[in-house]
Amino acid sequence: MSKVLYISSEAFPLIKTGGLGDVAGSLPIALLKKSQDVRLLLPAYPEVLNKITKIKKLAITSYYDLPVEIVETRLPGSNVIVWLVDCPAVFDRPGGPYTDNHGQPWDDIALRFAILCHAAVDIALNNLQLNWQPDVVHCNDWQSGLVPALLSLHSKRPATVFTIHNLAYQGIFKQQTFTDLHLPIELWHMDGLEYYGQLSFMKGGLAYADKITTVSPNYAREILEPEFSFGFDGLLKQRAADISGIINGIDEKYWNPGTDKYLEHKYNRRSLNKKVRNKTALQKELSLPVDDSIPMIGMVSRLVEQKGLEIILPSLETLLAMPLQIVILGTGETHYEILLSEYAHKHPERLKVIIGYNEPLAHRIEAASDMYLMPSTFEPCGLNQLYSLRYGTLPIVNNVGGLADTVINSSEENINNGTANGFVLKQQSTTSLLATIQRALTLYQKPEIWRQLQTNAMSGSFSWQTSAEHYVNLYQQALNEL
Ligand code: ADP
């Protein structure tokens, strides 16, 4: 049994903006089941404090002359102990973890997460006398990237693991920020936190963690190549021996069409004929023409280039002339929000675009749709295609990252050998997207084959069971090599 400090900037159901929230809200539970003594460290955002009832004060300290308390609570619905870094000066304000209510990144975002990192380091070194010192510190994405770097300066330290959920977000700041944050000068060099004259939080993880993981085996290979590495292929190649890919699991209780509390019409593999009732219910809810036979394509996503908007938008005119309905729920870059809303306005019978973040609606779209659109340019793991598989909603994906690891194309061969569970684009292009959707629509007209594909999709296992075991083994390996 290892003591694991798991650091994240979000964790469902306390706070979530994307996939990291889902992972940090479910992997610690799976680790606990594997007898790991795990503590989840999170910033005490107001949204988090509003959701918890019992809290216990554990320690008082300060960073950058700002008072900080470490308080203890539980991850709702589980026994996972959560330690919150409560620093009102930087966290107690309305807005998201990374941006204000207008989507603008926080001016003091570097300070916010430097404080999270300092608290993690103090816990890791037992400086706060919490009566619990981790064997392993597991960091996630750039927000906790300074932790392995700062810990590397101490000889008696826990092992460090750094997980890349998305290499595109790197926490890059001016050199002045390095000075302002009083970071140790020995970390400022090209093999350290410096990234072409700037400070990179992410590099702290990539350069200093004992072990690096990504959230799918395929993405672990891809990031060694310039196309997917965001400039880090050199460093990552050097670290290749310490990099591995562990596929994300999903919370199979929360994302279960048989018990989903947000669905009026629950269904499972054996009662798949009930799935269509979710489609007609959603059509009513969203004022789309009610028609149980029209194929529906769903998408729930951050509206950013990564998610394939550059090939989706040019396809829309052609797609919307076909007999189908498209439902898109998302928020993101304003120009995508505007363009999509304009298309929806022009084609009210075919396209619904809901700009916003809406967890219950996300579940209803998964259940209602026949197909799920996710032609990402890159995708470290991707969770929505996994939710789609579980809901018998066949994903249409690009052949990258975790999408390639989890979606098996409905080629004739794969249909015949009973493995096909979705549709994979030949390449990331509008032509390929349209051809793939066309193929999906053709198969949709063959109910027996479609039903088989849905059954294949719903039979896959995406529990945390195996992946949590891989993390436990990796912790052990990191400890043995320390
Ligand atoms: P990423 O982490 O890159 O955003 P993932 O597919 O790994 O993509 O995870 C996205 C998670 O965020 C999923 O749980 C998805 O349902 C959720 N999500 C994204 N946008 C929205 C939204 N507008 N409303 C509700 N849930 C959303």
Side-chain angles (χ1 to χ4, degrees):
M1 183 189 76
S2 304
K3 292 206 255 337
V4 183
L5 181 67
Y6 190 93
I7 311 164
S8 179
S9 53
E10 48 183 280
F12 183 81
L14 292 173
I15 175 95
K16 165 178 160 184
T17 70
L20 170 61
D22 284 340
V23 173
S26 52
L27 173 57
I29 300 175
L31 290 171
L32 199 66
K33 282 198 193 127
K34 300 268 169 217
S35 305
Q36 304 299 292
D37 180 5
V38 59
R39 302 279 186 282
L40 173 59
L41 190 72
L42 274 181
Y45 311 109
E47 202 172 325
V48 170
L49 292 173
N50 287 340
K51 282 192 186 134
I52 53 177
T53 42
K54 280 193 205 145
I55 58 170
K56 188 164 99 190
K57 288 186 186 177
L58 296 185
I60 298 180
T61 179
S62 79
Y63 303 110
Y64 307 107
D65 290 331
L66 303 171
V68 175
E69 279 185 5
I70 308 294
V71 299
E72 180 176 298
T73 184
R74 299 272 159 160
L75 190 67
S78 80
N79 287 323
V80 171
I81 295 175
V82 179
W83 284 353
L84 299 175
V85 179
D86 191 8
C87 179
V90 291
F91 294 128
D92 186 12
R93 57 179 86 145
Y98 320 115
T99 57
D100 64 19
N101 279 334
H102 306 288
Q104 290 306 312
W106 293 115
D107 285 344
D108 59 353
I109 190 163
L111 175 67
R112 270 160 89 84
F113 292 111
I115 287 174
L116 175 70
C117 291
H118 282 301
V121 168
D122 275 341
I123 294 169
L125 297 174
N126 204 16
N127 290 341
L128 299 178
Q129 277 86 45
L130 295 181
N131 224 353
W132 184 93
Q133 190 175 11
D135 306 306
V136 179
V137 176
H138 188 159
C139 307
N140 293 282
D141 273 354
W142 74 262
Q143 294 85 358
S144 44
L146 294 183
V147 177
L150 291 169
L151 284 176
S152 75
L153 304 173
H154 298 265
S155 52
K156 281 191 139 197
R157 62 164 177 92
T160 50
V161 174
F162 183 78
T163 297
I164 304 166
H165 295 261
N166 197 333
L167 207 46
Y169 302 96
Q170 304 175 350
I172 302 236
F173 303 97
K174 292 190 190 118
Q175 181 175 5
Q176 184 60 39
T177 307
F178 181 88
T179 313
D180 294 346
L181 292 175
H182 312 303
L183 294 172
I185 192 67
E186 42 292 36
L187 298 176
W188 186 262
H189 51 89
M190 58 183 271
D191 296 321
L193 295 179
E194 184 196 347
Y195 183 70
Y196 298 106
Q198 294 186 296
L199 161 65
S200 162
F201 273 49
M202 179 70 113
K203 250 189 108 191
L206 303 183
Y208 292 101
D210 298 318
K211 297 286 171 198
I212 298 169
T213 72
T214 70
V215 285
S216 70
N218 196 34
Y219 191 61
R221 287 185 290 272
E222 286 174 344
I223 56 171
L224 302 182
E225 303 304 326
E227 193 189 342
F228 293 100
S229 75
F230 291 93
F232 283 126
D233 44 300
L235 170 59
L236 290 170
K237 276 204 184 106
Q238 274 175 37
R239 302 269 354 236
D242 294 314
I243 301 179
S244 57
I246 302 177
I247 195 91
N248 282 337
I250 63 173
D251 181 336
E252 290 191 315
K253 273 200 215 139
Y254 186 65
W255 289 97
N256 178 351
T259 55
D260 192 325
K261 65 178 175 193
Y262 299 120
L263 303 186
E264 207 175 308
H265 308 286
K266 306 185 200 316
Y267 62 94
N268 59 33
R269 235 182 312 171
R270 283 167 297 284
S271 58
L272 247 175
N273 49 336
K274 288 195 204 150
K275 177 172 162 62
V276 72
R277 295 187 203 165
N278 291 288
K279 176 156 70 182
T280 47
L282 189 71
Q283 287 166 334
K284 279 184 207 142
E285 179 182 339
L286 299 179
S287 310
L288 279 167
V290 177
D291 176 353
D292 61 4
S293 67
I294 194 164
M296 182 185 278
I297 302 180
M299 180 172 183
V300 179
S301 182
R302 290 184 295 118
L303 299 176
V304 294
E305 189 188 342
Q306 180 198 340
K307 301 298 176 178
L309 272 308
E310 293 298 328
I311 62 166
I312 294 172
L313 282 163
S315 314
L316 274 182
E317 217 43 83
T318 313
L319 281 179
L320 294 170
M322 296 179 184
L324 49 76
Q325 290 177 346
I326 303 178
V327 176
I328 300 176
L329 166 65
T331 53
E333 291 172 22
T334 316
H335 62 115
Y336 289 133
E337 294 182 353
I338 292 173
L339 275 172
L340 286 171
S341 304
E342 278 171 6
Y343 273 108
H345 192 69
K346 270 202 284 178
H347 303 270
E349 311 232 308
R350 290 264 189 265
L351 173 64
K352 266 289 156 195
V353 173
I354 305 100
I355 302 297
Y357 190 92
N358 187 332
E359 192 75 32
L361 184 57
H363 284 243
R364 290 200 292 277
I365 292 174
E366 285 289 4
S369 305
D370 299 293
M371 296 150 224
Y372 186 86
L373 194 54
M374 200 166 174
S376 310
T377 54
F378 67 95
E379 196 58 77
C381 175
L383 290 171
N384 271 116
Q385 87 279 14
L386 302 182
Y387 302 147
S388 301
L389 290 170
R390 193 144 164 78
Y391 281 62
T393 304
L394 304 186
I396 297 169
V397 303
N398 194 17
N399 194 16
V400 292
L403 300 174
D405 278 335
T406 52
V407 179
I408 300 162
N409 189 35
S410 297
S411 63
E412 220 155 284
E413 189 189 348
N414 292 338
I415 292 176
N416 291 336
N417 66 26
T419 56
N421 64 7
F423 300 91
V424 182
L425 274 66
K426 283 212 175 69
Q427 60 198 32
Q428 232 265 351
S429 70
T430 300
T431 319
S432 190
L433 177 63
L434 286 170
T436 310
I437 293 178
Q438 194 59 64
R439 171 157 173 76
L441 292 175
T442 307
L443 286 179
Y444 182 76
Q445 300 308 331
K446 301 181 178 173
E448 258 175 52
I449 295 183
W450 194 263
R451 179 60 63 100
Q452 186 54 50
L453 296 177
Q454 287 181 303
T455 312
N456 296 347
M458 295 177 87
S459 308
S461 165
F462 299 104
S463 81
W464 270 109
Q465 176 79 0
T466 316
S467 297
E469 223 160 87
H470 286 309
Y471 279 110
V472 173
N473 292 340
L474 187 77
Y475 295 156
Q476 201 48 55
Q477 200 187 336
L479 276 169
N480 293 345
E481 292 171 13
L482 197 63

